[in-house]
Amino acid sequence: MHQRKVLRHPAMQLMLQVETLEQKLSTHLNKLHEARRRRAMYLGFAEDPTACINSAIASQARELRIARTGPAAGRDAELERRTDVFHEKWVEEAAAKYLAKKNNYTGLLL
């Protein structure tokens, strides 16, 4: 019963409303940030698809290395930087197949 009296107090109601609005604002800001990040990625892809895919692959390789060996282990970092694996022909073919498959899938959704 005491809790109901507290919630009925105008100042407490205002505080709850402010808290609710702050949570909604935070959610919308997070969605906006994600949309801007995606837009930047799509614009980069539209401008130079090969560079965009190479950048994504390099990023994934770094994350995989860190996940496998931990952030302190940098002994293989130089070797990974010098590797030519991502410049081989299969990368372009794999990317083309992936994009074709993705386009067919999104075409079904539209």
Side-chain angles (χ1 to χ4, degrees):
M1 182 155 182
H2 178 66
Q3 219 174 14
R4 286 187 177 180
K5 286 183 181 180
V6 171
L7 290 177
R8 288 184 182 166
H9 192 274
M12 291 300 286
Q13 287 179 344
L14 282 175
M15 287 176 60
L16 287 174
Q17 287 176 344
V18 167
E19 186 177 316
T20 302
L21 291 173
E22 284 178 345
Q23 288 174 348
K24 287 181 181 179
L25 179 63
S26 176
T27 299
H28 289 299
L29 287 174
N30 286 338
K31 287 180 181 179
L32 179 63
H33 175 71
E34 179 64 19
R36 291 184 80 198
R37 187 188 67 76
R38 285 183 180 197
R39 180 180 184 271
M41 192 273 305
Y42 289 135
L43 286 173
F45 183 79
E47 188 174 309
D48 189 358
T50 305
C52 184
I53 291 173
N54 285 338
S55 175
I57 291 172
S59 175
Q60 291 293 315
R62 283 190 302 272
E63 289 178 16
L64 179 61
R65 180 182 50 83
I66 289 170
R68 259 192 294 158
T69 60
R75 52 190 169 264
D76 293 331
E78 186 62 29
L79 179 62
E80 287 183 25
R81 269 184 245 148
R82 292 182 183 178
T83 186
D84 291 332
V85 130
F86 299 117
H87 299 288
E88 293 177 5
K89 184 161 179 67
W90 71 267
V91 174
E92 290 180 32
E93 292 172 8
K97 287 180 182 179
Y98 170 79
L99 291 173
K101 190 176 196 181
K102 186 158 181 98
N103 285 340
N104 287 337
Y105 177 72
T106 55
L108 295 174
L109 294 176
L110 297 176

